[in-house]
């Protein structure tokens, strides 16, 4: 009479299948996490742009100082600058690589020392979803209006 052994563990095949399922689920959640992180960075950069733009108008009006906005598409840098005496002060932000200017041309915009500025439309495109963020700056007191498409 042969003794029948009781099985007390998993076979190699069962372990391999279980491990592949767990790794697949981890890979899917990791890619979703990266997309979510990119969306958060995009939103933060655009909120910074809107808030800095409003602050630049307020600064220009209150201090009777010219503020210049530059957006360099190749470097993905947004720069607000103004003069204080002989020095030029810069407030810069590096935008995420997934967020680019829709038009490839460099944007240079001036807010005059009276706090007034001409109208302009600045468009950013988010490359992961092809969503376009349109910022229209109204004439005179520069109210910024955001729309998406």
């Amino acid at each position: 009479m042969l003794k029948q052994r009781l099985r007390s563990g998993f076979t190699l095949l069962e372990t391999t299948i279980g491990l592949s399922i767990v790794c697949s689920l981890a890979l899917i959640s990791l890619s979703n996490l990266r997309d979510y992180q990119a969306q958060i960075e995009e939103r933060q950069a655009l909120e910074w742009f809107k808030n800095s733009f409003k602050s630049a108008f307020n600064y220009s009006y209150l201090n009777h100082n010219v503020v210049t906005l530059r957006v360099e598409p190749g470097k993905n840098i947004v720069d607000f600058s103004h003069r204080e005496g002989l020095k030029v002060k810069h407030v810069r932000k590096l935008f995420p690589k997934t967020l680019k200017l829709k038009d490839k041309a460099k944007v240079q915009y001036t807010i005059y020392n009276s706090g007034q500025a001409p109208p302009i439309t600045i468009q950013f495109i988010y490359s992961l979803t092809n969503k376009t963020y349109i910022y229209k700056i109204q004439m005179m007191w520069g109210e910024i209006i955001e729309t998406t498409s």
Side-chain angles (χ1 to χ4, degrees):
M1 206 166 159
L2 296 172
K3 287 186 178 179
Q4 189 176 3
R5 287 192 202 180
L6 293 176
R7 209 170 104 195
S8 63
F10 295 109
T11 65
L12 182 59
L13 180 62
E14 292 170 333
T15 305
T16 305
I17 291 171
L19 186 60
S20 66
I21 291 171
V22 169
C23 288
S24 299
L25 292 173
L27 184 64
I28 290 169
S29 64
L30 185 61
S31 67
N32 288 342
L33 181 64
R34 285 186 189 144
D35 289 347
Y36 180 71
Q37 183 179 10
Q39 289 175 356
I40 295 295
E41 288 175 355
E42 163 212 350
R43 256 345 277 161
Q44 286 178 342
L46 293 173
E47 283 298 317
W48 176 87
F49 176 74
K50 282 191 335 187
N51 292 335
S52 296
F53 203 91
K54 290 176 185 177
S55 296
F57 264 97
N58 291 337
Y59 175 84
S60 179
Y61 175 72
L62 294 173
N63 295 305
H64 303 288
N65 205 341
V66 175
V67 177
T68 304
L69 162 70
R70 286 186 198 91
V71 182
E72 299 180 25
K75 298 177 185 175
N76 258 15
I77 295 175
V78 176
D79 178 31
F80 290 92
S81 61
H82 65 276
R83 286 197 173 275
E84 283 187 10
L86 297 175
K87 291 185 177 181
V88 177
K89 299 278 184 159
H90 294 275
V91 177
R92 291 183 179 145
K93 180 148 180 89
L94 180 64
F95 270 29
K97 293 180 181 183
T98 55
L99 194 62
K100 299 191 184 291
L101 273 176
K102 188 169 186 178
D103 303 325
K104 302 286 187 209
K106 181 178 180 179
V107 173
Q108 186 156 344
Y109 183 73
T110 303
I111 303 168
Y112 302 108
N113 58 1
S114 61
Q116 296 179 348
I120 190 172
T121 300
I122 301 172
Q123 297 181 13
F124 294 103
I125 188 164
Y126 183 50
S127 62
L128 292 179
T129 60
N130 287 334
K131 195 175 195 180
T132 302
Y133 295 94
I134 303 165
Y135 292 97
K136 292 182 180 179
I137 292 89
Q138 295 178 340
M139 197 157 119
M140 302 299 285
W141 299 109
E143 186 63 33
I144 186 167
I145 300 168
E146 176 185 15
T147 55
T148 58
S149 63

